[in-house]
Amino acid sequence: MRGRMRQVEPMGLISPKVIGRLSLYRRVLHELVAGGQSHVFSHELARLAGVTAAQVRRDVMAVGYSGSPVRGYEIASLIESIAAMLDAGQGDSVALVGLGNLGRAVLDYLGGRRSKMRLAAAFDVDPAKVNRVVHSVRCYPMEELASVVESQAIASAVVTVPASAAQEVSDRLVSAGVRGILNFAPARLRVPEGVFVEDVDMAMALEKVAYFSRQVTSPERAMRT
Amino acid sequence: MRGRMRQVEPMGLISPKVIGRLSLYRRVLHELVAGGQSHVFSHELARLAGVTAAQVRRDVMAVGYSGSPVRGYEIASLIESIAAMLDAGQGDSVALVGLGNLGRAVLDYLGGRRSKMRLAAAFDVDPAKVNRVVHSVRCYPMEELASVVESQAIASAVVTVPASAAQEVSDRLVSAGVRGILNFAPARLRVPEGVFVEDVDMAMALEKVAYFSRQVTSPERAMRT
DNA sequence: TAGATTGTTAATCGATTAACAATC
DNA sequence: TAGATTGTTAATCGATTAACAATC
């Protein structure tokens, strides 16, 4: 049973790596659309995304989209298929905890993107920040975390508090119903089974860069995962 | 030839993943030292770092350090061994390009850490930012990038410019002698063989979190690599 | 010593790559 | 059609895990 062309399975669980690459492909595809291109071959997309053509083919297969051996992938449809996989039905609401320098930068960066995701609320312990509105996101006191998260059905959160506070914040988010955390604090969060944590550890990343910049032969560039 | 206890090889090339974990171990070890602890077993360190004990043993082996079956690893010596691997002899100089919100936040975050690394110079196109000093880091105009990087022997750089400018900045850094780049711009940089690039893609990371926060069963938490 | 832990190899696992029939 | 590309399986590769003799 090989070489059958049509494949219909919508696929079940997809690995974090593949999800990351799909996000990358979508960004590249949007650029191609902006350039007036309507179709793309796996090797073109692969080159632009910095991956192999075989990976592109396998990943595209995973979203349940099929291309044509002659014209390749139709960009508009492929974007739709990826969006169906990555975006929630009515848009996700995201909370941000910790409005320090990093928190504001993240808010700035993520707030300014065309995206189905919506930064719905921010939280901070500092009374001076509470009730202020930054980039049209209101800052609530930490005491209201549970009620706001629950009432707005927030399922994802970004944590930009100091390492010493990260675990407690994580616990509160999880018990309020959050199921995914983007963690910028240099601390390993302990979360219950079923809660997804993605760590962004800038200090570690910089140490990696410093280490390999000293080596005569670097390993191939690592894919962000 | 198995079960021999002493191992002396200093090890050659180490993978980015292992380097990342070593950085993580060091952070945890410093916390243990601060708590007055002098020795640690692989399973303790593993629990605190969120990895397996087998990984700790293999990674520690890679830095050329040996523990004792009775007392485990002596923390102070292990920190020294990891430092010998991760830190440069006389301290690395790092450049930062792009002093927008994200750039300032990164400068803020990385500048405030006890580290052998030194943020030596910042660069920006905006004349209003040039020649100002932020966190004791001077901001130079882009025109002086090559001369400053060369004169200060800067080998690593952090890129926090918009995606549209990232490739050009990368090219200029590399031709000035930079061999490792921490890239925050949502763009894939093309660099010559031997130059290491670590991407920090916040938008992708958030999309991953949003995706898995919608799944009933999340995969185990991904290690930052 | 007895026993838990280490260093180190072998087995396992997952992801990537190579290969190729089916296709337009 | 001829030929380049796709969907999909098999082979390869690397990293993780399991296992165990050597050790204090």
Side-chain angles (χ1 to χ4, degrees), chain B residues 87 93 112:
Chain B
D87 298 335
S93 288

Side-chain angles (χ1 to χ4, degrees), chain B residues 142-215:
Chain B
M142 289 298 289
E143 293 76 34
E144 293 179 28
L145 192 147
S147 62
V148 172
V149 164
E150 281 166 31
S151 68
Q152 302 210 30
I154 292 172
S156 309
V158 181
V159 173
T160 48
V161 301
S164 56
Q167 185 60 57
E168 199 212 320
V169 164
S170 167
D171 292 344
R172 294 180 65 169
L173 286 168
V174 169
S175 68
V178 164
R179 314 257 313 158
I181 294 174
L182 178 54
N183 175 41
F184 285 87
R188 307 292 286 192
L189 303 180
R190 313 201 137 230
V191 293
E193 190 91 7
V195 174
F196 180 79
V197 176
E198 174 85 3
D199 293 303
V200 175
D201 192 328
M202 297 189 193
M204 179 197 290
L206 187 57
E207 290 199 332
K208 265 196 233 178
V209 169
Y211 175 81
F212 287 107
S213 71
R214 288 195 300 273
Q215 307 307 312

Side-chain angles (χ1 to χ4, degrees), chain A residues 167-222:
Chain A
Q167 185 60 58
E168 198 213 319
V169 164
S170 167
D171 292 343
R172 294 179 66 170
L173 285 167
V174 169
S175 69
V178 164
R179 315 256 313 154
I181 294 175
L182 177 53
N183 174 42
F184 284 87
R188 306 293 286 193
L189 303 180
R190 314 202 138 231
V191 295
E193 190 90 8
V195 174
F196 180 80
V197 177
E198 174 86 1
D199 292 305
V200 175
D201 191 328
M202 296 189 195
M204 178 196 290
L206 187 57
E207 290 200 330
K208 263 196 233 179
V209 168
Y211 175 81
F212 286 107
S213 71
R214 287 195 301 273
Q215 308 305 313
V216 277
T217 51
S218 303
E220 65 287 88
R221 33 181 307 172

